[in-house]
Amino acid sequence: MKLLITSLSFLFISFSIYAQKNTGIGQISGIITDSINEPLPYATVVLKNIKKEIIEGTVTEERGNFVFTKLNKGEYFLEIQYIGFISIEKSIKIFDNKKSIDLGSIALKEDSKTLEEVIVKGEASEVSLKLGKKVFRVGKDITTQGGVATDVLNNVPSVNVSPNGTISLRGNSNVQILINGRRSGLTQAQALEQLSADVIENIEVITNPSAKYDASGGAGIINIILKKNRKSGLNGQVRLVAGIPDDYRALGNVNFKTKKFNFFTNLGIRYTNYEGDYSKKQETIKNGVTTYLTQNEDENRHDDGKLFYFGTDYYLNAQNTITLAYYRNETEDTDTTSLDYDISTSMNIKNSISTLGNSKEKRDYNQLEANYTKEFDSSNTKFTIDFQYDFWNSNKIWNLETEQTYPIKAPIATIQTSGITNTDDITIQTDYTTTTGKKGHLEFGGKYENRKIVNEFLAEELKNGSFEIINGINNKLNYKEKIIAAYTQYNTKINKFNFQFGLRLEATKVSIGSEIKQLNLKNNYTNLFPSATIGYEFKNNLSGQLSYSKRIRRPSLWQLNPFLELKDFTARFTGNPLLQPSYTDSFELSFNYRKKKFRLSPSLYYSDTKDVFQYETVEDSQGVFVQSPINLENEKRYGFELSGSYNPLKWLRFSGDFNAYNYKQTGIINSSDATISDKTWFVNLSTSIQIPKGVRLQTRMYHIGKRVNVQTTTLPITYMNFAVSKSLFKNNGNLILNISNPFNSSKVRENIVGSNYKINQIRNRNAQRFSLSFVYKFNQKPSDKNRSANRSNRN
């Protein structure tokens, strides 16, 4: 809806052939709100002369404010429009003795005649473009309803989620994922698959973040904003989901707002099964003898989950607000895995082995939030303090039984492993924003983050009736990370130019210790991270911007931890405690063009990364292929991106994004030169059809091109999703059928080549999925659900 409002606004303004140029010193300003004094961002404000000819137009900012400057004295008409509200017009006069006119708050009334039309239009996916970022509104795309966070991310322009769960931005997995502008345990490993799409309000994609944001993520930042409703009174929604494979969920959110308090809560339970299958063919040559391995794996994962998020805003007065919130996500996973191996040599000796594994993992993620916001009487001046405490506990037990099935049946090994992880993360952040001059904004702030992770891992094998430790794998790893940061940034507007410049300082202290393995590593470093963005409005419907930022990628715990679970005796992943951070310089030139039925956003980008992360596969002395992360010397990447949408008819909408890039890597892998140059591309296309009686159809197609490095070739992937929805109960309810990956083509196919081996493997983590969802909303109106929450200082 934001994009639609903004596009119509600039289109309407651009039609004016009577535009005047103002050279005076007069000014008109104000704030647009609804009937309960909530600000209306992206409302259209048009200034006309005495003849009702358009002079200038704009859209309101997040806080509903607008301003017109350099006005000559005389009489003007101000017209204000917002979809779902009754438009108003005001007469204003500028005199010699009254050059600056502040209209204060201007309240719009809801238009009941347009509410049903707003509901229909509001069902489309929404992408709005702001200085330095894209904002994707969640809840309007029916292919994501009833899904999880990774389903939503896969529909966001520029973002891809691979079949094995890896999230990348413009094909680069070096991306920082935030929850409500903060680092969170919910973004680790497969935790995003436990986060329901229903609790997500919008997703911000920031390819060149300003100094206000954490410097992590060479590709940029994906910021997931959780819902926190702001409508007065009692309102909410309930969602019920049933699916195949077994997938049963009940989710809901309720909000109650009074004059002094705003109470909000999100609740959910689920019972979900996932099916995966994996296969591998491997050839190894040693001493002139070729060994062949064929492996097939069937995986059945089952999750039981509970989540709740509740909190309150307390309005001390018009200038001071306190927010307290608590989030908890409990998950119990019960997985079973069956692996079958056929081993033979060039001399035709055959051996068959079978492994049956089962695991149980309990996880609970907890997040406490507190915020104080002070808004000063002076315009656009705000001070905030945020406190966040995350603690995450995980306990996983694996049992593996391996036996020979051919030529004779005989037991080989019984192995059990246990892993315990505990995380504590405390973050304190403060921000101050104020205006300087007529159009300047100055921001500065600081942040302190202290993260502690304890990871214990034990692997044992049954021998002579008792379990004995395998190869000394009995480890307790202590990971500590402290980051102290400070930033300042300034932005202003001069005629048609927008400028934003910033500088961030981050001091990082990391220590990794293990008494059992005598591991004691420390890594301390301090860096400056500049950022700059220059925007220019060529026309009312055409704008462009050039941006730069310096970023860092810090290794995660799983990339550093040298001990992880054992499941496959032929292959293993291990972390590299010597892995160093990588640094990226990123440049981007982007444009945004809008017309009534059409939006187009092309971008050119370039990045230069030092000490880039790559994965190295090595065969150890026991014939096990071990994959671990290493630092390559450099990667240069330059590419082109195009996203857009087209509404040729009221009932038909096309949207999508296309990305193609070249890259060159230099460095050493397995003591050999790893220099390589190649190119790849991906595309995401969506079609939405509105048919009579409240029925909508939507299809989405993904294609990811071939990717190559010195060791690994990843083959192309193409898959589709389908959805259909039906409005019920006077548009308060919806019935949605989702079909995900119907052709079971969402598979990762890799060819890995070494000096004396080659591996061809297929990984299919999630097969086809079918789900039916019912959603019912109560006491909600389109003007509320299509408007951004007035958050504190969430980035």
Side-chain angles (χ1 to χ4, degrees):
M1 184 64 69
K2 291 181 183 178
L3 177 61
L4 177 62
I5 295 169
T6 306
S7 300
L8 290 175
S9 304
F10 283 111
L11 174 66
F12 177 62
I13 295 166
S14 66
F15 279 160
S16 174
I17 59 174
Y18 304 104
Q20 300 179 7
K21 184 175 181 180
N22 293 288
T23 58
I25 58 174
Q27 177 176 300
I28 299 174
S29 62
I31 299 174
I32 310 302
T33 69
D34 61 10
S35 57
I36 60 172
N37 205 34
E38 288 286 344
L40 291 177
Y42 305 98
T44 302
V45 186
V46 179
L47 188 67
K48 302 178 182 179
N49 62 15
I50 190 65
K51 298 180 181 180
K52 296 292 183 76
E53 300 167 345
I54 297 174
I55 299 173
E56 190 177 351
T58 187
V59 292
T60 56
E61 298 181 1
E62 286 287 348
R63 299 177 63 186
N65 54 301
F66 71 92
V67 63
F68 294 107
T69 60
K70 295 185 179 181
L71 300 177
N72 301 319
K73 67 178 182 180
E75 185 174 357
Y76 297 89
F77 290 94
L78 196 71
E79 185 177 346
I80 304 167
Q81 303 174 353
Y82 193 89
I83 292 181
F85 289 80
I86 298 174
S87 300
I88 62 173
E89 187 176 78
K90 286 182 172 291
S91 175
I92 304 167
K93 290 184 179 180
I94 295 178
F95 302 100
D96 286 335
N97 60 350
K98 193 176 182 181
K99 299 181 178 65
S100 181
I101 299 175
D102 185 354
L103 299 174
S105 295
I106 304 171
L108 300 184
K109 294 182 179 180
E110 292 179 346
D111 187 355
S112 58
K113 294 181 181 180
T114 65
L115 291 183
E116 184 173 348
E117 179 185 359
V118 172
I119 289 174
V120 173
K121 290 182 179 180
E123 292 301 323
S125 300
E126 300 171 7
V127 179
S128 61
L129 301 177
K130 301 180 184 179
L131 187 65
K133 64 183 176 183
K134 299 178 183 177
V135 180
F136 182 85
R137 294 283 295 168
V138 178
K140 313 301 183 292
D141 193 318
I142 61 176
T143 61
T144 67
Q145 295 189 23
V148 294
T150 49
D151 298 321
V152 178
L153 288 172
N154 221 14
N155 286 350
V156 176
S158 308
V159 179
N160 285 102
V161 182
S162 72
N164 60 10
T166 300
I167 298 169
S168 60
L169 180 56
R170 291 177 171 168
N172 189 347
S173 61
N174 181 10
V175 57
Q176 173 77 346
I177 302 174
L178 306 177
I179 303 287
N180 286 343
R182 302 288 181 267
R183 285 173 53 176
S184 169
L186 283 173
T187 64
Q188 304 297 315
Q190 277 75 49
L192 285 174
E193 293 187 356
Q194 320 304 326
L195 185 65
S196 170
D198 288 82
V199 303
I200 301 174
E201 180 173 313
N202 59 50
I203 293 176
E204 299 175 343
V205 177
I206 314 166
T207 51
N208 258 345
S210 70
K212 183 176 182 178
Y213 293 89
D214 290 344
S216 297
I221 291 174
I222 298 174
N223 187 20
I224 301 173
I225 305 296
L226 302 183
K227 288 180 178 177
K228 187 169 68 172
N229 298 320
R230 294 288 182 171
K231 182 179 182 293
S232 185
L234 179 67
N235 64 93
Q237 76 170 34
V238 176
R239 181 184 298 274
L240 301 175
V241 181
I244 302 173
D246 289 344
D247 187 5
Y248 305 102
R249 310 182 191 211
L251 308 113
N253 64 74
V254 178
N255 186 82
F256 180 69
K257 184 178 180 182
T258 65
K259 186 176 181 180
K260 281 288 186 181
F261 289 94
N262 176 44
F263 300 98
F264 50 90
T265 183
N266 290 279
L267 304 171
I269 58 173
R270 62 186 180 83
Y271 174 99
T272 308
N273 286 337
Y274 301 90
E275 296 178 356
D277 61 85
Y278 309 81
S279 63
K280 179 166 64 176
K281 292 184 178 181
Q282 176 181 305
E283 295 182 17
T284 307
I285 302 175
K286 284 186 179 180
N287 301 321
V289 178
T290 304
T291 301
Y292 303 93
L293 168 70
T294 300
Q295 175 184 323
N296 293 289
E297 176 184 352
D298 290 325
E299 180 184 62
N300 293 289
R301 308 190 310 276
H302 172 74
D303 296 343
D304 292 313
K306 301 175 184 177
L307 68 87
F308 57 90
Y309 177 53
F310 65 88
T312 182
D313 301 308
Y314 175 51
Y315 307 103
L316 297 170
N317 50 47
Q319 287 78 37
N320 296 273
T321 304
I322 295 175
T323 299
L324 298 173
Y326 173 60
Y327 180 90
R328 180 176 174 86
N329 190 339
E330 299 178 14
T331 305
E332 184 172 308
D333 300 343
T334 306
D335 303 342
T336 60
T337 300
S338 174
L339 296 96
D340 294 312
Y341 308 85
D342 285 329
I343 304 171
S344 61
T345 69
S346 52
M347 301 175 66
N348 296 321
I349 300 173
K350 185 177 180 182
N351 190 18
S352 296
I353 297 173
S354 177
T355 295
L356 180 63
N358 62 79
S359 70
K360 189 171 186 178
E361 180 179 12
K362 291 185 177 180
R363 294 191 303 270
D364 63 87
Y365 173 78
N366 304 269
Q367 178 176 301
L368 289 169
E369 301 176 21
N371 168 265
Y372 167 70
T373 298
K374 166 72 174 179
E375 297 191 26
F376 296 85
D377 292 333
S378 57
S379 176
N380 289 322
T381 299
K382 182 169 68 172
F383 171 72
T384 62
I385 298 177
D386 274 283
F387 170 83
Q388 183 171 310
Y389 174 46
D390 301 345
F391 51 102
W392 187 13
N393 305 293
S394 173
N395 190 334
K396 184 172 185 177
I397 298 175
W398 259 104
N399 293 293
L400 297 164
E401 294 186 359
T402 303
E403 66 175 4
Q404 180 179 276
T405 58
Y406 182 86
I408 61 172
K409 191 171 183 179
I412 295 178
T414 298
I415 295 173
Q416 65 180 19
T417 68
S418 64
I420 300 174
T421 303
N422 299 297
T423 300
D424 285 278
D425 192 350
I426 295 176
T427 302
I428 301 173
Q429 178 167 328
T430 180
D431 298 90
Y432 182 81
T433 304
T434 188
T435 56
T436 58
K438 291 185 177 181
K439 294 187 178 181
H441 290 82
L442 177 66
E443 298 178 75
F444 55 87
K447 178 180 178 180
Y448 170 78
E449 182 167 11
N450 188 358
R451 169 172 290 193
K452 297 179 181 179
I453 304 175
V454 178
N455 178 264
E456 300 180 50
F457 186 72
L458 172 65
E460 299 174 298
E461 183 177 358
L462 183 63
K463 290 185 177 181
N464 301 320
S466 62
F467 282 96
E468 299 179 3
I469 297 174
I470 301 173
N471 297 330
I473 303 179
N474 180 16
N475 181 63
K476 181 177 180 180
L477 195 73
N478 293 289
Y479 177 85
K480 297 179 181 179
E481 179 183 86
K482 290 183 180 179
I483 302 175
I484 300 176
Y487 78 91
T488 182
Q489 70 178 31
Y490 175 76
N491 66 76
T492 188
K493 184 175 183 179
I494 302 175
N495 297 324
K496 293 186 176 183
F497 282 97
N498 286 282
F499 299 93
Q500 184 180 83
F501 303 100
L503 183 65
R504 185 179 186 89
L505 181 145
E506 290 189 354
T508 306
K509 180 183 291 187
V510 176
S511 66
I512 307 171
S514 172
E515 295 181 4
I516 299 173
K517 289 298 177 183
Q518 297 182 349
L519 182 65
N520 186 16
L521 298 176
K522 297 183 183 297
N523 197 3
N524 302 332
Y525 43 92
T526 300
N527 304 103
L528 288 173
F529 299 94
S531 64
T533 301
I534 301 174
Y536 184 77
E537 297 177 8
F538 296 94
K539 298 179 180 178
N540 288 326
N541 61 346
L542 175 63
S543 61
Q545 65 181 30
L546 177 66
S547 60
Y548 162 78
S549 68
K550 186 178 182 65
R551 313 288 297 162
I552 185 175
R553 181 180 189 179
R554 298 179 179 90
S556 63
L557 176 64
W558 72 271
Q559 291 173 317
L560 296 169
N561 189 355
F563 301 101
L564 294 178
E565 68 187 29
L566 304 176
K567 183 177 72 171
D568 181 356
F569 69 84
T570 67
R572 186 178 304 166
F573 177 89
T574 180
N576 176 9
L578 299 178
L579 195 65
Q580 295 297 309
S582 64
Y583 297 90
T584 299
D585 290 288
S586 176
F587 301 83
E588 180 175 348
L589 175 64
S590 59
F591 299 90
N592 185 41
Y593 177 73
R594 310 178 187 91
K595 293 199 75 170
K596 183 176 181 180
K597 299 180 179 181
F598 187 68
R599 176 186 65 84
L600 202 62
S601 299
S603 299
L604 294 170
Y605 59 91
Y606 169 79
S607 64
D608 187 344
T609 303
K610 297 179 180 179
D611 294 324
V612 64
F613 293 3
Q614 187 55 270
Y615 291 96
E616 177 185 57
T617 301
V618 178
E619 184 182 14
D620 68 13
S621 59
Q622 298 178 343
V624 177
F625 288 90
V626 180
Q627 187 183 63
S628 59
I630 62 170
N631 290 111
L632 290 184
E633 180 183 339
N634 181 264
E635 180 187 81
K636 289 181 171 60
R637 179 179 299 204
Y638 54 95
F640 169 75
E641 181 181 64
L642 180 66
S643 65
S645 63
Y646 178 52
N647 295 72
L649 302 168
K650 290 184 178 180
W651 51 268
L652 180 62
R653 174 186 173 89
F654 301 103
S655 62
D657 63 285
F658 169 82
N659 191 299
Y661 62 89
N662 284 60
Y663 59 94
K664 180 179 181 180
Q665 293 180 341
T666 57
I668 302 296
I669 291 181
N670 285 344
S671 302
S672 299
D673 185 9
T675 299
I676 189 171
S677 297
D678 207 347
K679 55 184 177 293
T680 188
W681 62 283
F682 60 83
V683 65
N684 177 351
L685 299 174
S686 176
T687 302
S688 181
I689 301 174
Q690 178 80 43
I691 60 179
K693 298 184 179 180
V695 178
R696 278 187 65 216
L697 303 175
Q698 186 171 344
T699 64
R700 190 174 289 274
M701 186 275 289
Y702 308 84
H703 177 84
I704 303 173
K706 184 177 71 171
R707 288 148 293 158
V708 176
N709 63 41
V710 168
Q711 283 193 307
T712 305
T713 298
T714 304
L715 301 179
I717 304 172
T718 303
Y719 60 102
M720 300 187 71
N721 292 338
F722 299 91
V724 58
S725 71
K726 173 70 171 71
S727 297
L728 303 170
F729 307 117
K730 297 181 179 180
N731 292 317
N732 289 317
N734 258 310
L735 193 65
I736 305 133
L737 174 66
N738 262 303
I739 304 174
S740 177
N741 189 26
F743 307 112
N744 198 22
S745 58
S746 179
K747 302 177 181 180
V748 176
R749 297 173 295 162
E750 293 179 329
N751 299 328
I752 303 173
V753 178
S755 59
N756 66 329
Y757 65 85
K758 62 179 179 180
I759 302 171
N760 299 325
Q761 60 186 17
I762 300 175
R763 291 178 290 165
N764 183 11
R765 193 166 182 270
N766 292 314
Q768 304 102 320
R769 299 193 68 83
F770 306 84
S771 69
L772 186 65
S773 306
F774 173 71
V775 184
Y776 185 79
K777 303 177 178 68
F778 56 93
N779 294 341
Q780 290 193 11
K781 297 180 181 180
S783 56
D784 301 300
K785 62 182 181 176
N786 288 330
R787 199 163 66 234
S788 290
N790 181 20
R791 301 189 177 277
S792 55
N793 71 328
R794 297 306 186 197
N795 288 330

